[in-house]
């Protein structure tokens, strides 16, 4: 919560998401990840949850999304968000944003496309547009594309471009080898074909670690994120 939090006030809600099947995001210590804390000081109530498909719980909890990445995660996050907000009237569900990097960028985009009535603003940093992007990572959780055609097709964000109703900022570096900038270009092409407005920031010579990067390019990206969230969600 913001440093000057007032429980009688109403605050826009910002979800910080990763959501990938090999990382959990909920900290074991309050200070573990500085980014959600920093975002809260802009005037947001920041929400972090690990839905089904993430590790460090039971094997069954993680296996829910095996072969089905992209199907259950956003509904889980929506349900958790609504439950958290049910007894916290200071959380304004009319102003909900979501931000994520890498797999979090994929899911930030997907949240706007699968739950446009819940998520109104998204910042997707170096996102994938689909799950064909990196076989060495995805085949462990999705199997081979030729034997799971339906799963890969369902997981495509580009396929859902027409559902975008909120404000979306895509950020990508040209030197990214984890999720090449061609992934954002796929999404850009799909959004243009669907006639959907969006915002785009391309960072020349930048790699995959954008929000954590030192130097002027990293600071420029973080400033862009701050400006966008403050403009669109208006604490």
């Amino acid at each position: 919560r913001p440093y000057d939090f007032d429980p009688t006030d109403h605050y826009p809600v910002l979800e910080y998401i990763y959501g990938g099947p090999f990382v959990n995001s909920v900290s074991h210590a309050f200070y573990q990840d500085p980014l959600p804390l920093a975002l809260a000081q802009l005037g947001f109530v920041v929400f972090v949850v690990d839905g089904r498909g993430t590790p460090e719980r039971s094997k069954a909890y993680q296996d829910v999304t095996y072969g089905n990445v992209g199907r259950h995660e956003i509904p889980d996050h929506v349900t958790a968000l609504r439950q958290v907000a049910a007894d916290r009237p200071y959380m304004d569900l009319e102003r909900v944003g979501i931000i994520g990097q890498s797999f979090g960028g994929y899911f930030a985009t997907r949240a706007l496309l699968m739950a446009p009535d819940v998520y109104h603003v998204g910042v997707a940093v170096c996102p994938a547009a689909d799950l064909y992007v990196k076989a060495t990572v995805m085949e462990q959780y999705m199997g081979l594309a030729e034997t799971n055609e339906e799963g890969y097709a369902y997981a495509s964000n580009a396929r859902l471009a027409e559902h975008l109703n909120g404000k979306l900022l895509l950020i990508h570096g040209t030197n990214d080898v984890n999720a090449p900038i061609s992934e954002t270009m796929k999404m850009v092409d799909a959004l243009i074909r669907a006639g959907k407005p969006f915002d785009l920031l391309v960072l020349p010579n930048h790699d995959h670690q954008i929000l954590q990067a030192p130097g002027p390019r990293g600071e420029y990206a973080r400033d862009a994120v701050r400006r966008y969230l403050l403009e669109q969600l208006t604490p």
Side-chain angles (χ1 to χ4, degrees):
R1 297 177 295 191
Y3 69 93
D4 57 351
F5 174 74
D6 178 354
T8 65
D9 206 347
H10 291 84
Y11 294 86
V13 179
L14 183 63
E15 179 168 1
Y16 177 66
I17 191 170
Y18 186 76
F22 42 81
V23 172
N24 69 310
S25 298
V26 176
S27 300
H28 294 288
F30 186 67
Y31 53 81
Q32 185 168 329
D33 189 335
L35 188 56
L37 299 176
L39 291 168
Q41 304 324 312
L42 297 174
F44 303 105
V45 170
V46 180
F47 166 75
V48 185
V49 67
D50 292 320
R52 288 175 299 167
T54 54
E56 297 196 20
R57 288 172 177 77
S58 68
K59 186 69 161 58
Y61 189 91
Q62 186 176 22
D63 283 353
V64 167
T65 61
Y66 182 77
N68 279 306
V69 171
R71 189 178 298 272
H72 302 291
E73 296 90 342
I74 298 305
D76 276 9
H77 284 241
V78 168
T79 300
L81 173 59
R82 286 174 170 162
Q83 184 181 20
V84 166
D87 57 359
R88 292 171 175 82
Y90 54 80
M91 295 174 67
D92 184 356
L93 295 190
E94 296 300 315
R95 293 180 292 164
V96 178
I98 186 166
I99 179 173
Q101 177 172 273
S102 190
F103 232 130
Y106 166 81
F107 279 115
T109 305
R110 198 161 184 82
L112 265 67
L113 301 176
M114 290 187 72
D117 57 326
V118 177
Y119 296 98
H120 312 110
V121 178
V123 177
V125 183
C126 49
D130 55 42
L131 301 184
Y132 298 105
V133 56
K134 201 165 188 180
T136 54
V137 175
M138 291 316 310
E139 286 180 1
Q140 301 174 66
Y141 302 99
M142 288 294 290
L144 298 175
E146 56 265 33
T147 59
N148 187 13
E149 293 181 6
E150 193 277 336
Y152 277 88
Y154 185 87
S156 170
N157 282 344
R159 179 183 64 87
L160 301 175
E162 64 183 288
H163 297 303
L164 180 66
N165 288 326
K167 302 290 291 185
L168 173 62
L169 170 62
L170 299 166
I171 302 177
H172 221 119
T174 61
N175 288 12
D176 194 333
V177 296
N178 294 64
I181 194 172
S182 57
E183 288 298 303
T184 283
M185 291 300 103
K186 285 184 198 175
M187 199 68 224
V188 164
D189 182 59
L191 291 168
I192 290 172
R193 290 175 182 272
K196 297 293 182 177
F198 61 92
D199 296 288
L200 174 66
L201 172 61
V202 175
L203 298 168
N205 303 314
H206 214 306
D207 60 15
H208 195 60
Q209 299 302 321
I210 290 176
L211 295 181
Q212 299 79 15
R217 286 197 299 266
E219 190 56 42
Y220 188 90
R222 289 186 289 274
D223 281 343
V225 169
R226 284 191 286 266
R227 287 195 305 271
Y228 199 79
L229 293 174
L230 291 171
E231 288 170 3
Q232 302 301 333
L233 291 172
T234 317

